[in-house]
């Protein structure tokens, strides 16, 4: 089968014929239907995040189950599924504490399957499976807990986005920050993830939702998802503007780009007693400067949100239901569709700053 292979950072992905083993016990082989073009993959391509190489990237995906390994009970061949880039072991402290997005066993095994081995091979070498998903490929073998069954008629591109940007964005607002009705929110970075923070804040009943970006088109797009105000950080002092609009700072300031500079900005934008929620992944070694006195005297909270502090096994279905009942817009998020062999072009466009989300369509 074909896969996009990352051989070295700062080289284009290579479309190669690779081998995929059958699923072992508690694993599932799936045919990929759609894969989202998320910035997290780009961090690995640019060397801003580290993964074992060669690797197959792709972590925002939907698929159809082809074959199940021994002992699999959660899905059956033919089922439509959303892939989760944090499959859960069910018995570690994080899983037992209700925080399956932080599964210790997944963290310890990384881009290998839970038994520490890999199913993907190329030219006699094993390939790393990003997030145990590796959906920039025609097929994948994933843990049973890395796929969540959805209705047979649920649209597959929209399902793929629920696998990362929708759940990450909505969850950051609803499950991590727990935005309250009437509160003020600032969102720095309005791409695939940030737009979902905006709609999560709208759904939670936020009063003012201030979108901050460096791209006017992204800001205009954000108003479609619920932004009440927009600030272009290139043309204005975004901190001053947010403080003026909120009377001192936002109750919740979200960072959804991934840099030390924007993380500092989110911290500074939070009001006295407010919370900064960091969603973007800054490059390795790019550390933000945080005013420690403001942290104390202003009792600010600085927190990270991984996968929107969600529990994919139950929260994907909530996202599906929010979409099905018209409470969130996933259709307009998908602004462009590519074939697998256009993947480098897809990432060039992401870097250039095209609005919304791109999707690699397989089926
Ligand atoms: N926490 C998680 O679980 C999780 C999940 C998915 C993605 N991420 C991370 O979230 C971040 C966003 O991902 P995405 O796919 O939405 O990216 P994206 O490229 O679609 O969007 C990024 C947005 O940030 C804007 N931007 C760039 N520089 C800026 C600046 N200085 N100030 C304000 N805005 C700026 C861009 O114009 C763009 O609109 C990435 O770092 C990604 O790795 C985290
Ligand atoms: Zn992602
Ligand atoms: Zn676990």
């Amino acid at each position: 089968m074909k896969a996009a292979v990352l051989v070295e950072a700062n080289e284009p992905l290579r479309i190669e014929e690779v081998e995929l083993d059958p699923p072992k016990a508690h694993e599932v082989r799936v045919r990929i239907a759609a894969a989202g073009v998320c910035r997290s993959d780009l961090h690995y391509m640019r060397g801003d995040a580290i993964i074992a190489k060669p690797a197959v990237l792709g972590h925002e995906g939907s698929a159809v189950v082809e074959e199940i390994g021994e002992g699999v009970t959660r899905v059956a061949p033919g089922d439509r599924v959303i892939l989760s880039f944090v499959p859960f072991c069910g018995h570690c402290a994080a899983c037992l504490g209700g925080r399956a997005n932080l599964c210790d066993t997944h963290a310890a095994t990384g881009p290998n399957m839970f038994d520490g081995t890999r199913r993907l091979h190329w030219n006699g070498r094993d390939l790393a499976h990003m997030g145990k998903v590796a959906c920039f490929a025609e097929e994948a073998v994933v843990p049973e807990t890395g796929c969540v069954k959805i209705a047979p008629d649920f649209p597959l591109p929209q399902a793929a986005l629920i696998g990362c940007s929708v759940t990450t964005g909505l969850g950051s607002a609803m499950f991590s920050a727990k935005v309250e009705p009437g509160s003020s929110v600032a969102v720095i970075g309005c791409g695939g993830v940030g737009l979902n923070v905006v709609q999560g804040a709208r759904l939670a009943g936020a009063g003012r939702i201030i979108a901050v970006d460096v791209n006017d088109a992204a800001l205009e797009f954000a108003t479609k998802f619920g932004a009440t105000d927009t600030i272009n950080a290139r043309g204005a002092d975004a901190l001053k503007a947010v403080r003026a609009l909120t009377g001192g700072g936002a109750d919740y300031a979200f960072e959804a780009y991934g840099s030390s500079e924007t993380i500092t900005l989110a911290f500074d934008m939070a009001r006295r007693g407010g919370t900064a929620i960091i969603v973007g992944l800054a490059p390795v070694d790019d550390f933000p400067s945080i005013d420690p006195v403001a942290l104390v005297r202003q009792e600010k909270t600085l927190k990270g949100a991984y996968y929107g502090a969600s529990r994919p096994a139950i929260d994907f279905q909530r996202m599906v239901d929010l979409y099905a009942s018209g409470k969130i817009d996933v259709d307009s998020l998908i602004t462009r569709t590519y074939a697998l062999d256009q993947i480098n072009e897809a990432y060039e466009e992401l870097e250039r700053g095209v609005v919304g989300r791109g999707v690699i369509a397989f089926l």
Side-chain angles (χ1 to χ4, degrees), residues 33-266:
V37 179
C38 178
R39 185 166 281 267
S40 295
D41 307 277
L42 185 69
H43 295 322
Y44 292 119
M45 294 176 212
R46 292 286 166 267
D48 290 336
I50 308 299
I51 189 168
K53 289 181 271 297
V56 176
L57 304 180
H59 64 284
E60 180 175 87
S62 61
V64 179
V65 174
E66 289 272 316
E67 182 187 354
I68 59 174
E70 199 191 313
V72 169
T73 55
R74 304 171 72 89
V75 293
D79 284 349
R80 282 189 180 192
V81 292
I82 300 175
L83 304 176
S84 162
F85 61 85
V86 186
F88 60 97
C89 76
H91 51 71
C92 72
C95 284
L96 293 172
R99 301 177 77 179
N101 64 318
L102 304 179
C103 175
D104 296 326
T105 314
H106 174 60
T109 47
N112 308 308
M113 302 306 280
F114 276 128
D115 70 359
T117 64
R118 299 177 184 172
R119 306 290 164 267
L120 283 164
H121 316 284
W122 171 65
N123 281 347
R125 296 166 80 183
D126 283 355
L127 291 161
H129 302 233
M130 178 179 178
K132 297 183 178 56
V133 174
C135 62
F136 290 159
E138 291 173 324
E139 294 185 25
V141 167
V142 301
E144 179 180 17
T145 60
C147 52
V148 178
K149 184 177 168 177
I150 51 171
D153 57 349
F154 194 82
L156 290 161
Q158 285 80 349
L161 266 62
I162 291 174
C164 179
S165 50
V166 170
T167 302
T168 298
L170 260 75
S172 296
M174 302 190 314
F175 308 142
S176 179
K178 300 190 173 71
V179 168
E180 297 123 13
S183 56
S184 58
V185 167
V187 182
I188 303 167
C190 296
V193 172
L195 291 165
N196 281 298
V197 176
V198 168
Q199 60 177 343
R202 189 205 67 223
L203 209 57
R208 202 146 210 169
I209 304 172
I210 307 163
V212 181
D213 205 291
V214 290
N215 175 354
D216 281 331
L219 289 169
E220 196 189 318
F221 203 57
T223 61
K224 242 180 112 59
F225 294 86
T228 57
D229 303 85
T230 61
I231 298 167
N232 189 324
R234 282 253 159 82
D237 181 338
L239 176 59
K240 214 164 143 189
V242 164
R243 284 181 173 162
L245 283 168
T246 54
D251 293 312
Y252 301 98
F254 294 88
E255 195 282 348
Y257 168 59
S259 72
S260 56
E261 185 197 345
T262 43
I263 291 170
T264 301
L265 188 60

Side-chain angles (χ1 to χ4, degrees), residues 184-359:
S184 58
V185 167
V187 182
I188 303 167
C190 296
V193 172
L195 291 165
N196 281 298
V197 176
V198 168
Q199 60 177 343
R202 189 205 67 223
L203 209 57
R208 202 146 210 169
I209 304 172
I210 307 163
V212 181
D213 205 291
V214 290
N215 175 354
D216 281 331
L219 289 169
E220 196 189 318
F221 203 57
T223 61
K224 242 180 112 59
F225 294 86
T228 57
D229 303 85
T230 61
I231 298 167
N232 189 324
R234 282 253 159 82
D237 181 338
L239 176 59
K240 214 164 143 189
V242 164
R243 284 181 173 162
L245 283 168
T246 54
D251 293 312
Y252 301 98
F254 294 88
E255 195 282 348
Y257 168 59
S259 72
S260 56
E261 185 197 345
T262 43
I263 291 170
T264 301
L265 188 60
F267 180 78
D268 292 344
M269 271 181 187
R271 72 179 316 114
R272 299 168 70 80
T275 303
I277 299 98
I278 313 307
V279 184
L281 293 158
V284 281
D285 302 330
D286 182 25
F287 290 85
S289 75
I290 300 296
D291 177 348
V293 176
L295 183 70
V296 176
R297 284 195 198 269
Q298 299 183 30
E299 286 199 357
K300 292 193 185 193
T301 301
L302 175 65
K303 69 188 295 195
Y306 192 50
Y307 225 149
S310 69
R311 298 141 307 169
I314 51 179
D315 292 324
F316 282 177
Q317 186 58 44
R318 293 187 181 191
M319 303 302 153
V320 162
D321 292 343
L322 287 170
Y323 169 81
S325 60
K327 294 195 176 71
I328 58 170
D329 180 3
V330 185
D331 298 347
S332 335
L333 275 176
I334 303 171
T335 49
R336 49 205 193 277
T337 301
Y338 307 90
L340 180 62
D341 58 12
Q342 295 174 299
I343 193 156
N344 290 304
E345 188 186 313
Y347 274 97
E348 280 157 26
E349 293 195 356
L350 181 91
E351 277 194 297
R352 272 212 305 279
V354 185
V355 299
R357 197 53 138 198
V359 168

